[in-house]
Amino acid sequence: MSTLSELVYAHGFSDPAEVEWLHRLAGDGQLLADLAFADIVVWVPTEDDSFIAVAHTRPGGAATLFYRDIVGDRVRPQWRAQVREAFTTGRIVDSASPDWFEETPTRVRAVPIVRARSGADAPARVIGVLTRHTNLGEARTPSRQQITFNDCADDVFGMIASGDFPDLSAPTSPRRGAPRASDGLVRMDVDGLTTFASPNALSAFNRMGFDDELEGEPLVDVITRILPEKRQFDESLPVVATGRAPWRADIEARGVTVSLRAIPLRDHGNRIGAIVLCRDVTELRHQEQELITKDATIREIHHRVKNNLQTVASLLRIQARRTHSDEARDSLTNATRRVSAIAVVHDTLSEGLTQSVDFDDVFSRVLKLVAEVAAAPNTRARTRKTGSFGTLPSEYATPLALALTELVTNAVEHGLAGQEGEVEIAAERTADHLEVSVRDTGVGLPEGQVGRGLGTQIVRTLIQGELSGTIDWHTIMGSGTEVTIEIPLRYIARSSS
């Protein structure tokens, strides 16, 4: 299915600010649908004088009219004139009589989506139309809550038509557990006095220690009374509690955490009150804290593993310097390098918040581990990396780093032994696979005669066994050796999911 951006750009929109405006509005589609007890659809004009749906939200507390997704569909003939009138006049247009949709009576309201002025001389512009489709088939005597919710919806629709909603100063990335209308809603007047509080909102405040009625009370005074003394609180809380800014804040009392979201209500720019959504997020915040603690623990483990590996590498290095056997010294030096390569990956993981690593950074650090070999007597090797590896999960970064360390070391030690040359590591990543080639300008090897040493066995085991990839050695025409590794990315994607 096409995204909102793809649909909008495909139908003549070129201003990123207008696309962002539509994204913000569609992001609040659930709020509007729940307040209006109706389906909410966002339409944008097409080049052939029609309209196409780019977003659709079903109500949480009422029956939907659209059992099939209509995003990407053109506006139906029975709505076209009403939608076009709202778009061309910039006014809200209500259907004159009930509209029938698949044998269900409905009422349709078309609201022009006006993008606010971006500068002193920039005029407001209608960039689309929002339609509300109310199911009249389940009509019943509305409760006080439903009447208040509908009134709030009408206020927000008026703000959409005047360019006052959405408010781009509101947070773009709400924290997990952002409050919804069904979680609890408080309606305030322009002075911050509570004129309505839904039962769920009242329950949330009761759990924090407020045992009176919210209605008739200034919400900011209620919050001040229940907050513990000498307790730090969110700096944005006062403006959220008074409904003066479209921000979010958390309040905590008696072990209960409630998330608040304020939506100032305006009539052509003049503030007339506010909606405050509230949700008990105690369990969610506990889960977030547990995740933070676990993440910190995992990072500390990576840090300690890195330190331990570096200690092992140092011990091996000391032992290599004291041994009198050239063969033993070479074996200890290679072991030191392998342990250090694994330590690099753990060091990178200890610095980040995810279990994935930027392998280009890891490999740049791994290349430094072969500098000692490159500086061997009578050998002058230059290393060069081209292309990009991208991001890899840790379980793949470790074997790949170790395998490439072996290949580059072999290219320097054996391919360029006693001469000057270059080792190139070329990475090419596509949607399906990662291909890495290690090429040197050394003496090459007879075609088909691959070494049988420990390094070669390690590389085969890592690439074929752990990465489900393939590896091929062959001589470059003229001179040198090329080793090609290919790893299917479907295995990487599966392991990181």
Side-chain angles (χ1 to χ4, degrees):
M1 183 183 297
S2 299
T3 64
L4 184 149
S5 296
E6 291 172 340
L7 288 169
V8 169
Y9 281 122
H11 290 279
F13 279 72
S14 58
D15 186 349
E18 293 183 352
V19 177
E20 172 65 17
W21 194 272
L22 292 171
H23 261 294
R24 289 293 193 96
L25 182 59
D28 274 321
Q30 192 63 60
L31 169 66
L32 297 175
D34 290 343
L35 290 177
F37 295 90
D39 286 88
I40 299 295
V41 184
V42 175
W43 308 86
V44 296
T46 61
E47 295 179 351
D48 58 356
D49 198 30
S50 184
F51 293 86
I52 187 170
V54 296
H56 169 222
T57 309
R58 296 177 175 87
T64 181
L65 286 171
F66 306 107
Y67 294 95
R68 297 178 182 85
D69 204 332
I70 65 170
V71 173
D73 292 352
R74 290 180 177 272
V75 64
R76 300 200 175 203
Q78 64 263 40
W79 308 326
R80 186 181 298 123
Q82 186 179 351
V83 171
R84 182 179 293 113
E85 181 181 353
F87 184 79
T88 55
T89 64
R91 296 195 303 268
I92 296 176
V93 180
D94 289 306
S95 54
S97 59
D99 174 68
W100 289 84
F101 178 80
E102 296 183 356
E103 301 182 355
T104 301
T106 67
R107 180 179 294 113
V108 181
R109 166 172 286 190
V111 180
I113 301 172
V114 177
R115 180 199 165 196
R117 299 176 178 178
S118 56
D121 300 326
R125 180 173 117 84
V126 180
I127 60 175
V129 175
L130 179 147
T131 53
R132 181 194 69 184
H133 303 261
T134 305
N135 187 340
L136 300 180
E138 297 185 352
R140 61 183 185 274
T141 303
S143 64
R144 180 167 176 252
Q145 174 170 309
Q146 184 171 351
I147 293 174
T148 303
F149 275 34
N150 282 328
D151 289 343
C152 292
D154 290 342
D155 289 333
V156 177
F157 290 147
M159 291 166 61
I160 294 172
S162 62
D164 291 320
F165 190 87
D167 193 322
L168 298 186
S169 66
T172 56
S173 301
R175 295 180 65 185
R176 183 167 170 253
R180 301 158 298 191
S182 57
D183 296 320
L185 181 144
V186 175
R187 174 72 186 258
M188 298 188 298
D189 62 17
V190 69
D191 297 319
L193 198 67
T194 302
T195 59
F196 172 83
S198 70
N200 285 343
L202 183 58
S203 295
F205 280 89
N206 288 161
R207 285 191 288 273
M208 289 189 293
F210 181 74
D211 56 4
D212 205 344
E213 293 294 329
L214 282 173
E215 294 183 21
E217 296 279 352
L219 186 62
V220 67
D221 290 350
V222 172
I223 294 175
T224 301
R225 272 185 274 168
I226 63 177
L227 281 177
E229 294 183 4
K230 299 180 181 179
R231 179 73 177 267
Q232 288 186 342
F233 58 87
D234 196 326
E235 293 180 356
S236 62
L237 182 56
V239 291
V240 172
T242 55
R244 294 181 178 274
W247 296 346
R248 295 181 173 89
D250 283 358
I251 54 176
E252 184 176 352
R254 293 191 176 184
V256 176
T257 303
V258 173
S259 180
L260 303 178
R261 178 194 174 186
I263 303 173
L265 298 177
R266 299 183 178 89
D267 183 5
H268 292 87
N270 299 316
R271 198 166 66 87
I272 59 174
I275 299 170
V276 176
L277 306 177
C278 48
R279 178 180 182 181
D280 186 338
V281 293
T282 306
E283 186 60 31
L284 288 175
R285 294 295 180 259
H286 285 167
Q287 293 175 1
E288 288 178 352
Q289 188 59 46
E290 289 178 359
L291 289 174
I292 292 173
T293 302
K294 289 180 180 179
D295 179 75
T297 302
I298 292 172
R299 291 172 61 188
E300 177 62 21
I301 290 173
H302 283 302
H303 179 72
R304 293 189 181 189
V305 169
K306 182 263 297 184
N307 288 344
N308 290 338
L309 289 173
Q310 287 182 339
T311 300
V312 172
S314 297
L315 295 174
L316 291 172
R317 190 177 297 109
I318 292 172
Q319 188 64 43
R321 290 172 181 171
R322 293 188 176 186
T323 186
H324 299 291
S325 168
D326 291 340
E327 183 178 354
R329 184 183 300 108
D330 290 342
S331 296
L332 290 170
T333 300
N334 289 333
T336 301
R337 194 177 302 111
R338 290 161 186 155
V339 172
S340 298
I342 300 173
V344 167
V345 177
H346 283 281
D347 187 30
T348 304
L349 289 169
S350 70
E351 298 172 354
L353 296 176
T354 68
Q355 290 301 296
S356 297
V357 297
D358 179 356
F359 196 78
D360 292 287
D361 176 61
V362 169
F363 187 65
S364 295
R365 298 169 65 181
V366 166
L367 272 181
K368 297 178 181 179
L369 299 176
V370 302
E372 183 179 342
V373 177
N378 303 321
T379 300
R380 295 184 60 188
R382 300 180 303 276
T383 57
R384 179 167 63 97
K385 183 182 80 72
T386 59
S388 175
F389 291 93
T391 301
L392 296 175
S394 60
E395 58 265 38
Y396 279 77
T398 299
L400 183 58
L402 186 54
L404 292 178
T405 299
E406 293 294 327
L407 293 175
V408 175
T409 300
N410 287 341
V412 175
E413 282 186 332
H414 304 296
L416 300 176
Q419 66 183 58
E420 180 179 350
E422 181 180 85
V423 179
E424 178 187 4
I425 304 91
E428 181 179 352
R429 182 164 183 167
T430 67
D432 299 319
H433 69 279
L434 171 65
E435 182 177 299
V436 185
S437 298
V438 180
R439 313 181 187 98
D440 66 67
T441 58
V443 296
L445 51 81
E447 198 69 33
Q449 296 184 13
V450 181
R452 296 183 179 181
L454 178 61
T456 302
Q457 294 178 23
I458 290 175
V459 171
R460 286 190 186 278
T461 301
L462 294 172
I463 299 301
Q464 296 176 348
E466 295 197 30
L467 299 179
S468 301
T470 60
I471 183 169
D472 178 58
W473 282 267
H474 60 275
T475 299
I476 302 175
M477 186 64 67
S479 66
T481 302
E482 180 177 48
V483 184
T484 303
I485 296 171
E486 185 169 331
I487 303 169
L489 289 186
R490 63 179 179 273
Y491 293 101
I492 294 178
R494 184 182 306 161
S495 69
S496 60
S497 61

